[in-house]
Amino acid sequence: MDNTSGVGVLDKAALVLSALESGPATLAGLVAATGLARPTAHRLAVALEHHRLVTRDMQGRFILGPRLAELSAAAGEDRLLAAAGPVLTHLRDVTGESAQLYRRQGEMRICVAAAERLSGLRDTVPVGSTLPMKAGSAAQVLLAWEEPERLHRGLQGARFTATALSGVRRRGWAQSIGEREPGVASVSAPVRGPSNRVVASVSVSGPIERLTRHPGRMHAQAIIEAANRLTEALRRS
């Protein structure tokens, strides 16, 4: 079967990506694997690197880039949202606090699903809200497992530290007290896709006077269980 599309540059870019599927490659390795001329292989690999579809390893070899994982995660978003409704509702009912699901988009995070506390003082984050990646327990979770360079970049100007993120990775959950908004506390845990990459953060948030200054003690277990249920839903699909 002819596997060319008729759009030459795309066919050649697909050759480069397919060649990297089997592992890291030098420029010479790419030329050998694709049959492309050396200047063409180099030009395409660098262009793909610009779009984060290709990156380099510590030895400078070309490897598949993080954007591919992000696109794969986005393809699973419908499955994630389908599972999120009942999980967030249960989390809200168990904790008595508003529950949210966040995904990272560039340097921001977006609330893609929520279950609001039904009455009384609550932290309301409408679906579609865009919040910074510089503060809050969900931002910590979405950044903590990133590749080192992106993690370092994300820490610049953040209200949390590398040490805090190290604690998040160790515990498997994050908490914040008045970090994103004065008077609001939250607890978050990671949702992982089939490749084990963190694709979302599930959270509960509410006033510090209810969640206390140690909200993780109260709600970490419920948050982890909710995150695990969403992770399992993604892996089943």
Side-chain angles (χ1 to χ4, degrees), residues 6-23:
V7 181
V9 69
L10 282 181
D11 292 338
K12 290 171 183 172
L15 277 177
V16 171
L17 293 173
S18 296
L20 295 177
E21 189 177 358
S22 57

Side-chain angles (χ1 to χ4, degrees), residues 39 55 65 72 74 82 90 114 128 162 203 209:
T55 188
S72 174
H90 178 73
S203 309
E209 61 197 54

